[in-house]
Amino acid sequence: MKKDKDKKEVEKNKNEEEFCEPFEDESFDTNQPMLQLIESMNGNPLLRKVYLFGEVNTHSIWSVISQVHALESESNEDIELYINSGGGYVVDCFALVDVMNSSPCDFKTIVVGQAASAACLIASNGACGKRYAGRNSEFLWHEVFGAIPEVRHSDLAFLKKETKRPQEKFNRIFSQNTGRAIKEIQESFYQQRDRFMSAQQAKEFGIFDLFLRHKKREAIIRKIKTEKKQDA
């Protein structure tokens, strides 16, 4: 009887240990891009929103492009690209710019937080008249960073030329998006190491078109106007 009781106790403890073990699913990949397609509560079509938050790098841009292609397969309606990024890698930035330019969908770029460096270029690359930013957002633009590895002295001239190419691309795309001459961009942004801009300054330069609506302020203004009419 005692042996049977001990055996049951061991099996019970074993079952508890198995139950307490953390769940691990090797098939789950945390790097797999997740579609930011959110169904509204009243059954309306899926919201076409994509988010670029954090560094512009191979993973984040791969995730964004994957989501864009999925949305393109649904329809040619506009895609909203929310941006809050301190910038990142040039090549990955160019990859997203090319996808945006070749897409059948218009991109509504919406800056919340900040759009710095590469993210600033992506923000300016939205469809004309559909580039938005929050009034509290911040912008930054600077020269493209490049790293020179250990090379022979005779290769320095070649590398100098190659490191200038990404900067020339940045200037050309930025010029097309803002309507500013390349010379003006160089004079405005490259006289100092980093050029910080408020949302108003970025709007005036042509990086985006419209501010996000301040719905609370609009509601207060409507209320005040209604009260004045009633008093009159």
Side-chain angles (χ1 to χ4, degrees):
M1 292 292 293
K2 185 178 180 182
K3 287 183 178 180
D4 293 339
K5 185 178 180 181
D6 292 342
K7 188 176 180 180
K8 289 181 180 178
E9 189 70 27
V10 170
E11 288 178 355
K12 180 182 177 183
N13 293 337
K14 185 179 178 181
N15 291 333
E16 288 178 352
E17 289 174 2
E18 288 176 354
F19 180 80
C20 294
E21 284 180 1
F23 173 74
E24 294 183 1
D25 185 358
E26 294 180 356
S27 64
F28 178 74
D29 182 8
T30 56
N31 291 326
Q32 184 179 358
M34 181 178 293
L35 296 178
Q36 303 292 338
L37 306 177
I38 308 169
E39 292 189 23
S40 58
M41 296 300 291
N42 59 359
N44 284 338
L46 298 175
L47 301 179
R48 299 171 63 80
K49 301 177 187 290
V50 180
Y51 300 89
L52 175 58
F53 278 39
E55 186 180 56
V56 175
N57 56 37
T58 302
H59 173 65
S60 64
I61 297 302
W62 168 63
S63 177
V64 169
I65 291 175
S66 298
Q67 296 172 57
V68 167
H69 286 165
L71 290 169
E72 288 174 347
S73 67
E74 294 289 332
S75 74
N76 292 345
E77 294 178 10
D78 292 356
I79 296 174
E80 295 183 4
L81 175 59
Y82 283 81
I83 301 168
N84 181 17
S85 170
Y89 292 91
V90 175
V91 175
D92 302 306
C93 169
F94 290 152
L96 180 55
V97 166
D98 285 341
V99 168
M100 293 171 72
N101 292 342
S102 62
S103 174
C105 307
D106 277 357
F107 280 81
K108 290 182 179 179
T109 50
I110 303 169
V111 177
V112 287
Q114 69 171 333
S117 189
C120 186
L121 185 69
I122 294 169
S124 73
N125 203 59
C128 184
K130 298 179 180 180
R131 301 174 301 174
Y132 298 83
R135 292 185 179 273
N136 296 312
S137 57
E138 295 288 334
F139 293 78
L140 177 141
W141 187 266
H142 55 205
E143 285 186 289
V144 172
F145 291 153
I148 303 288
E150 292 185 7
V151 294
R152 293 171 298 186
H153 184 269
S154 58
D155 289 334
L156 288 175
F158 170 77
L159 285 171
K160 183 179 179 181
K161 180 181 178 181
E162 289 301 307
T163 53
K164 284 179 66 176
R165 260 192 320 115
Q167 185 66 66
E168 291 171 353
K169 284 185 189 178
F170 253 63
N171 293 344
R172 174 175 53 78
I173 298 169
F174 202 49
S175 174
Q176 293 170 351
N177 293 344
T178 60
R180 304 277 181 163
I182 291 177
K183 184 178 180 181
E184 184 180 0
I185 291 171
Q186 292 172 334
E187 291 175 352
S188 299
F189 293 105
Y190 302 143
Q191 301 299 322
Q192 51 190 341
R193 289 186 180 275
D194 292 319
R195 170 71 186 275
F196 292 90
M197 291 173 285
S198 66
Q200 183 62 43
Q201 290 172 323
K203 183 177 183 293
E204 291 172 358
F205 198 83
I207 295 173
F208 70 95
D209 306 303
L210 300 165
F211 284 109
L212 293 174
R213 288 176 57 192
H214 196 321
K215 294 183 179 180
K216 287 184 178 179
R217 185 172 63 182
E218 290 177 1
I220 292 171
I221 292 172
R222 284 197 300 270
K223 183 179 179 182
I224 292 172
K225 287 182 178 179
T226 302
E227 290 175 351
K228 284 183 178 179
K229 287 181 180 180
Q230 290 174 350
D231 293 340

